[in-house]
Tab-separated table of all heavy atoms in Angstrom:
chain	number	residue	atom	x	y	z
A	780	HIS	N	-13.160	17.658	6.732
A	780	HIS	CA	-14.101	17.413	7.866
A	780	HIS	C	-14.351	18.676	8.695
A	780	HIS	O	-13.373	19.315	9.044
A	780	HIS	CB	-13.668	16.206	8.689
A	780	HIS	CG	-13.705	14.953	8.018
A	780	HIS	ND1	-12.793	13.916	8.162
A	780	HIS	CD2	-14.584	14.455	7.089
A	780	HIS	CE1	-13.099	12.891	7.395
A	780	HIS	NE2	-14.179	13.218	6.779
A	781	PRO	N	-15.534	18.966	9.066
A	781	PRO	CA	-15.827	20.135	9.886
A	781	PRO	C	-15.298	20.036	11.331
A	781	PRO	O	-15.424	18.836	11.861
A	781	PRO	CB	-17.343	20.237	9.873
A	781	PRO	CG	-17.805	19.418	8.738
A	781	PRO	CD	-16.797	18.313	8.599
A	782	LEU	N	-14.749	21.092	11.809
A	782	LEU	CA	-14.388	21.109	13.219
A	782	LEU	C	-15.631	21.248	14.184
A	782	LEU	O	-15.692	20.671	15.190
A	782	LEU	CB	-13.342	22.232	13.471
A	782	LEU	CG	-12.912	22.386	14.934
A	782	LEU	CD1	-12.151	21.238	15.412
A	782	LEU	CD2	-12.080	23.737	15.130
A	783	LEU	N	-16.528	22.115	13.702
A	783	LEU	CA	-17.662	22.491	14.544
A	783	LEU	C	-18.942	22.044	13.849
A	783	LEU	O	-19.799	22.816	13.438
A	783	LEU	CB	-17.704	23.996	14.737
A	783	LEU	CG	-16.461	24.588	15.441
A	783	LEU	CD1	-16.524	26.057	15.486
A	783	LEU	CD2	-16.270	23.985	16.775
A	784	LEU	N	-19.062	20.727	13.607
A	784	LEU	CA	-20.286	20.130	12.953
A	784	LEU	C	-21.524	20.376	13.825
A	784	LEU	O	-22.646	20.646	13.334
A	784	LEU	CB	-20.053	18.706	12.639
A	784	LEU	CG	-21.195	18.043	11.866
A	784	LEU	CD1	-21.426	18.709	10.467
A	784	LEU	CD2	-20.863	16.540	11.580
A	785	ARG	N	-21.377	20.201	15.147
A	785	ARG	CA	-22.528	20.367	16.031
A	785	ARG	C	-22.368	21.635	16.796
A	785	ARG	O	-21.234	22.188	17.030
A	785	ARG	CB	-22.615	19.180	16.983
A	785	ARG	CG	-22.913	17.864	16.289
A	785	ARG	CD	-22.867	16.681	17.234
A	785	ARG	NE	-23.174	15.462	16.504
A	785	ARG	CZ	-22.360	14.695	15.819
A	785	ARG	NH1	-21.090	15.134	15.743
A	785	ARG	NH2	-22.741	13.630	15.262
A	786	GLY	N	-23.543	22.266	17.168
A	786	GLY	CA	-23.488	23.541	17.796
A	786	GLY	C	-22.724	23.506	19.167
A	786	GLY	O	-22.717	22.515	19.887
A	787	VAL	N	-22.067	24.572	19.443
A	787	VAL	CA	-21.358	24.760	20.707
A	787	VAL	C	-21.712	26.048	21.310
A	787	VAL	O	-22.197	27.026	20.612
A	787	VAL	CB	-19.781	24.740	20.489
A	787	VAL	CG1	-19.376	23.423	19.969
A	787	VAL	CG2	-19.338	25.901	19.590
A	788	HIS	N	-21.604	26.228	22.634
A	788	HIS	CA	-21.923	27.501	23.293
A	788	HIS	C	-20.635	28.145	23.783
A	788	HIS	O	-20.717	29.271	24.332
A	788	HIS	CB	-22.873	27.265	24.495
A	788	HIS	CG	-22.230	26.511	25.631
A	788	HIS	ND1	-22.186	25.082	25.588
A	788	HIS	CD2	-21.656	26.880	26.738
A	788	HIS	CE1	-21.639	24.682	26.693
A	788	HIS	NE2	-21.253	25.722	27.383
A	789	SER	N	-19.464	27.486	23.582
A	789	SER	CA	-18.240	28.135	24.026
A	789	SER	C	-17.070	27.532	23.196
A	789	SER	O	-17.099	26.406	22.803
A	789	SER	CB	-17.998	27.685	25.496
A	789	SER	OG	-16.677	28.064	25.873
A	790	VAL	N	-16.163	28.423	22.951
A	790	VAL	CA	-14.867	27.956	22.224
A	790	VAL	C	-13.696	28.274	23.220
A	790	VAL	O	-12.572	28.581	22.726
A	790	VAL	CB	-14.676	28.610	20.859
A	790	VAL	CG1	-15.725	28.084	19.877
A	790	VAL	CG2	-14.771	30.173	20.936
A	791	ALA	N	-13.971	28.265	24.459
A	791	ALA	CA	-12.828	28.531	25.413
A	791	ALA	C	-11.781	27.477	25.302
A	791	ALA	O	-12.058	26.327	24.855
A	791	ALA	CB	-13.414	28.443	26.886
A	792	ALA	N	-10.587	27.784	25.613
A	792	ALA	CA	-9.464	26.882	25.409
A	792	ALA	C	-9.485	25.768	26.493
A	792	ALA	O	-8.493	25.033	26.614
A	792	ALA	CB	-8.134	27.610	25.545
A	793	THR	N	-10.566	25.602	27.248
A	793	THR	CA	-10.706	24.470	28.187
A	793	THR	C	-11.114	23.171	27.518
A	793	THR	O	-11.210	22.161	28.225
A	793	THR	CB	-11.740	24.915	29.266
A	793	THR	OG1	-12.913	25.317	28.591
A	793	THR	CG2	-11.177	26.089	30.124
A	794	SER	N	-11.485	23.204	26.249
A	794	SER	CA	-11.842	22.006	25.505
A	794	SER	C	-10.802	21.825	24.379
A	794	SER	O	-10.142	22.734	23.948
A	794	SER	CB	-13.213	22.147	24.912
A	794	SER	OG	-13.314	23.074	23.902
A	795	ALA	N	-10.744	20.599	23.840
A	795	ALA	CA	-9.809	20.275	22.776
A	795	ALA	C	-10.095	21.196	21.588
A	795	ALA	O	-9.157	21.738	20.949
A	795	ALA	CB	-9.916	18.850	22.427
A	796	LYS	N	-11.307	21.278	21.183
A	796	LYS	CA	-11.650	22.095	20.009
A	796	LYS	C	-11.391	23.637	20.239
A	796	LYS	O	-10.949	24.316	19.389
A	796	LYS	CB	-13.050	21.869	19.532
A	796	LYS	CG	-13.279	20.492	18.961
A	796	LYS	CD	-14.642	20.290	18.396
A	796	LYS	CE	-14.823	18.905	17.757
A	796	LYS	NZ	-16.175	18.687	17.156
A	797	GLY	N	-11.765	24.070	21.439
A	797	GLY	CA	-11.505	25.435	21.774
A	797	GLY	C	-10.037	25.775	21.755
A	797	GLY	O	-9.634	26.829	21.283
A	798	ALA	N	-9.259	24.921	22.386
A	798	ALA	CA	-7.835	25.096	22.422
A	798	ALA	C	-7.248	25.123	20.978
A	798	ALA	O	-6.312	25.937	20.658
A	798	ALA	CB	-7.118	24.006	23.181
A	799	LEU	N	-7.781	24.263	20.107
A	799	LEU	CA	-7.267	24.252	18.727
A	799	LEU	C	-7.592	25.611	18.048
A	799	LEU	O	-6.681	26.171	17.376
A	799	LEU	CB	-7.939	23.126	17.942
A	799	LEU	CG	-7.402	22.780	16.548
A	799	LEU	CD1	-7.597	21.247	16.264
A	799	LEU	CD2	-8.277	23.546	15.507
A	800	LEU	N	-8.772	26.105	18.224
A	800	LEU	CA	-9.134	27.377	17.661
A	800	LEU	C	-8.277	28.503	18.139
A	800	LEU	O	-7.855	29.376	17.384
A	800	LEU	CB	-10.649	27.624	17.856
A	800	LEU	CG	-11.665	26.845	17.078
A	800	LEU	CD1	-13.059	27.053	17.631
A	800	LEU	CD2	-11.572	27.157	15.607
A	801	HIS	N	-8.044	28.520	19.476
A	801	HIS	CA	-7.170	29.516	19.990
A	801	HIS	C	-5.782	29.543	19.375
A	801	HIS	O	-5.200	30.605	19.130
A	801	HIS	CB	-7.088	29.390	21.553
A	801	HIS	CG	-8.215	29.997	22.287
A	801	HIS	ND1	-8.184	31.161	22.977
A	801	HIS	CD2	-9.506	29.575	22.355
A	801	HIS	CE1	-9.307	31.432	23.483
A	801	HIS	NE2	-10.216	30.498	23.179
A	802	ARG	N	-5.257	28.320	19.194
A	802	ARG	CA	-3.882	28.263	18.578
A	802	ARG	C	-3.919	28.761	17.170
A	802	ARG	O	-2.944	29.457	16.740
A	802	ARG	CB	-3.432	26.775	18.642
A	802	ARG	CG	-3.197	26.191	20.041
A	802	ARG	CD	-2.699	24.780	19.948
A	802	ARG	NE	-1.418	24.661	19.252
A	802	ARG	CZ	-1.042	23.659	18.553
A	802	ARG	NH1	-1.842	22.597	18.394
A	802	ARG	NH2	0.137	23.643	17.997
A	803	LEU	N	-4.953	28.434	16.426
A	803	LEU	CA	-5.050	28.952	15.113
A	803	LEU	C	-5.136	30.450	15.028
A	803	LEU	O	-4.425	31.117	14.251
A	803	LEU	CB	-6.292	28.390	14.387
A	803	LEU	CG	-6.237	26.890	13.936
A	803	LEU	CD1	-7.607	26.405	13.515
A	803	LEU	CD2	-5.260	26.628	12.857
A	804	ILE	N	-5.963	31.031	15.877
A	804	ILE	CA	-6.175	32.446	15.814
A	804	ILE	C	-4.922	33.161	16.353
A	804	ILE	O	-4.483	34.140	15.643
A	804	ILE	CB	-7.370	32.855	16.712
A	804	ILE	CG1	-8.691	32.329	16.112
A	804	ILE	CG2	-7.475	34.374	16.946
A	804	ILE	CD1	-9.897	32.378	16.958
A	805	ARG	N	-4.263	32.669	17.422
A	805	ARG	CA	-3.018	33.295	17.864
A	805	ARG	C	-1.922	33.216	16.777
A	805	ARG	O	-1.116	34.167	16.676
A	805	ARG	CB	-2.534	32.630	19.073
A	805	ARG	CG	-3.313	33.027	20.367
A	805	ARG	CD	-2.528	32.640	21.620
A	805	ARG	NE	-2.168	31.215	21.701
A	805	ARG	CZ	-2.914	30.287	22.290
A	805	ARG	NH1	-4.020	30.667	22.920
A	805	ARG	NH2	-2.564	29.074	22.288
A	806	GLY	N	-1.923	32.128	16.001
A	806	GLY	CA	-0.932	32.029	14.955
A	806	GLY	C	-1.267	32.671	13.614
A	806	GLY	O	-0.512	32.626	12.725
A	807	GLY	N	-2.465	33.327	13.617
A	807	GLY	CA	-2.843	34.012	12.367
A	807	GLY	C	-3.188	33.069	11.246
A	807	GLY	O	-3.061	33.458	10.028
A	808	VAL	N	-3.682	31.808	11.597
A	808	VAL	CA	-3.975	30.840	10.565
A	808	VAL	C	-5.479	30.698	10.426
A	808	VAL	O	-6.145	30.433	11.417
A	808	VAL	CB	-3.347	29.454	10.994
A	808	VAL	CG1	-3.588	28.445	9.899
A	808	VAL	CG2	-1.829	29.614	11.238
A	809	ALA	N	-5.944	30.866	9.282
A	809	ALA	CA	-7.338	30.723	8.980
A	809	ALA	C	-7.662	29.250	8.757
A	809	ALA	O	-6.794	28.478	8.371
A	809	ALA	CB	-7.782	31.560	7.699
A	810	LEU	N	-8.933	28.818	8.981
A	810	LEU	CA	-9.421	27.511	8.831
A	810	LEU	C	-10.688	27.576	7.944
A	810	LEU	O	-11.593	28.290	8.191
A	810	LEU	CB	-9.733	26.908	10.132
A	810	LEU	CG	-10.296	25.389	10.073
A	810	LEU	CD1	-9.226	24.467	9.620
A	810	LEU	CD2	-10.765	24.998	11.487
A	811	TYR	N	-10.636	26.681	6.936
A	811	TYR	CA	-11.785	26.629	5.889
A	811	TYR	C	-12.193	25.187	5.740
A	811	TYR	O	-11.282	24.320	5.601
A	811	TYR	CB	-11.424	27.264	4.584
A	811	TYR	CG	-12.553	27.311	3.606
A	811	TYR	CD1	-13.438	28.407	3.612
A	811	TYR	CD2	-12.809	26.256	2.727
A	811	TYR	CE1	-14.486	28.418	2.698
A	811	TYR	CE2	-13.857	26.311	1.878
A	811	TYR	CZ	-14.726	27.334	1.841
A	811	TYR	OH	-15.816	27.443	1.007
A	812	THR	N	-13.490	24.900	5.720
A	812	THR	CA	-13.995	23.542	5.559
A	812	THR	C	-14.776	23.447	4.265
A	812	THR	O	-15.670	24.232	3.965
A	812	THR	CB	-14.971	23.180	6.721
A	812	THR	OG1	-14.258	23.304	7.934
A	812	THR	CG2	-15.499	21.712	6.545
A	813	ALA	N	-14.456	22.416	3.467
A	813	ALA	CA	-15.262	21.993	2.313
A	813	ALA	C	-15.605	20.503	2.505
A	813	ALA	O	-14.715	19.647	2.378
A	813	ALA	CB	-14.509	22.232	0.963
Side-chain angles (χ1 to χ4, degrees):
H780 291 143
L782 176 67
L783 303 175
L784 183 59
R785 295 174 179 83
V787 297
H788 68 276
S789 170
V790 291
T793 53
S794 69
K796 291 185 178 182
L799 188 150
L800 288 170
H801 277 254
R802 293 181 64 211
L803 287 169
I804 293 169
R805 283 198 302 268
V808 183
L810 179 66
Y811 184 89
T812 302

